[in-house]
Amino acid sequence: MKRKVLSALLIAAMTVATVGCGGGSQPTADADASAETEAPAEDAAADDAEAPTEDTAADGTADAASGDLITVGYAQVGAESDWRTANTESFKSTFTEENGYKLIFDDAQQKQENQIKAIRSFIQQEVDYIVVAPVVETGWETVLEEAKEAGIPVILSDRMMDVSDDTLFEAWVGGNFVKEGETCGDWLAKYLEEQGRGEEEINMVTIQGTIGASAQVGRTEGMANKLAEHSNWKMLEMQSGEFTQAKGQEVMESFLKSYDDIDVVICENDNEAFGAIDAIKAAGKTCGPEGDIIVVSFDSVKAAFESMIAGDLNATFECNPLHGPRVAEIIQKLEAGETVDKIQYVDEAYFDTSMDLESILAERAY
């Protein structure tokens, strides 16, 4: 359905039924059901997810009942990690026909050119909204201009775009990556102090994410801010693990061959940490609270809790992947003619081995 016709019908429906939009609080759950139209790209596997917020479901039900669906094209990065799988499922379980949406999903397989093709395909299909989790921050202005000329609002999820004109997108939803990195640095300083190593020279390595991705840029910057506060911390080397377990293991193997005394490994996502742990064990070293090397990571997927419980991982810093309900809330506000905040952070925490991890894991949605 063309956007101008859909908008008129939605406005009429809201006038008659007084259907309201989400109130701006942090959505906490996604539904188990999923019904979407797949683009030709390969689909990602589904993981656990929660149910959608009540406000989103109420609005969607009104649309579905009248037969008018809001079409959303989602250009996802890929399926490189457990976090990404949970993020994909959050969108698939939110943007269902039962909730008043038609989802066209595209897995870019970690390639920006695939995402640009997907966005142009969405424009040709005259979708109502385009959602993008960009592979990298730069190189988007031309295709976003095309979406703007077509009158299709663009919403960014997880990663940011570096554009000269911020009217090219409506809003961004994701984690505060710089803060995540700084929280990691603060935690590490406190942990070393508690271990009686506060004044000791600490040798670190970092397995970075995909270079140029917002999470990589922010987490590296945040940790660098804390590194500057501690003259006894030495960053030996940083290499990209591309947010994958296999590459994380490969990079850690290289670090272990180059440096005899590594005290801390900072992994910019959990999957890289799993690979690093495998490499550390294969080299005859130990890690975790009782081991030779401190390993910390980002995302806080379920497998990270299992790794902490097993004594391999010291801490994980959350990046909440459940963006679907927040994006749906933004769309409903835009449908109602409301303004939305340009930058919308999701709530995040951190977890370490001092906590009751089994209880936390039992209630974990991803």
Side-chain angles (χ1 to χ4, degrees), residues 184 188 202-208 223 227 233-240 248 251-268 272 276 280 293-298:
C184 177
L188 181 59
I202 302 298
N203 292 323
M204 304 179 184
V205 292
T206 296
I207 304 178
Q208 296 173 290
M223 191 61 203
L227 191 69
W233 291 6
K234 182 179 180 182
M235 185 62 69
L236 299 174
E237 191 174 346
M238 296 188 291
Q239 286 188 34
S240 173
V251 171
M252 191 67 215
E253 288 170 351
S254 174
F255 286 157
L256 290 167
K257 290 176 183 177
S258 299
Y259 307 102
D260 295 326
D261 185 18
I262 297 174
D263 299 301
V264 179
V265 182
I266 300 163
C267 304
E268 291 190 341
E272 289 176 339
I280 291 167
I293 301 174
I294 298 168
V295 182
V296 298
S297 62
F298 296 84

Side-chain angles (χ1 to χ4, degrees), residues 319-347:
C319 182
N320 187 341
L322 306 182
H323 296 177
R326 178 61 67 84
V327 173
E329 182 181 22
I330 290 170
I331 288 174
Q332 290 299 328
K333 286 187 174 183
L334 292 173
E335 287 293 311
E338 300 180 28
T339 58
V340 297
D341 292 336
K342 198 75 173 180
I343 303 297
Q344 301 196 27
Y345 292 122
V346 291
D347 295 331

Side-chain angles (χ1 to χ4, degrees), residues 42-53:
E42 180 182 358
D43 192 6
D47 197 356
D48 295 329
E50 300 175 343
T53 61

Side-chain angles (χ1 to χ4, degrees), residues 41-42 44 75-85 87-88 105-116 118 133-137 140 158-159 208-216 240-245 247 269 271-272:
E42 180 182 358
Q76 176 63 288
V77 171
E80 79 285 357
S81 65
D82 294 349
W83 188 97
R84 189 66 55 190
T85 298
N87 180 253
T88 291
F105 178 85
D106 188 278
D107 179 341
Q109 301 179 345
Q110 303 290 316
K111 296 179 180 179
Q112 183 182 31
E113 59 266 31
N114 289 347
Q115 287 193 308
I116 291 173
V135 175
V136 294
E137 292 191 346
W140 301 101
D158 178 34
R159 301 176 180 181
Q208 296 173 290
T210 302
I211 300 301
S214 296
Q216 176 274 311
S240 173
E242 299 175 1
F243 288 131
T244 69
Q245 182 166 337
K247 188 66 175 179
N269 83 339
N271 287 75
E272 289 176 339

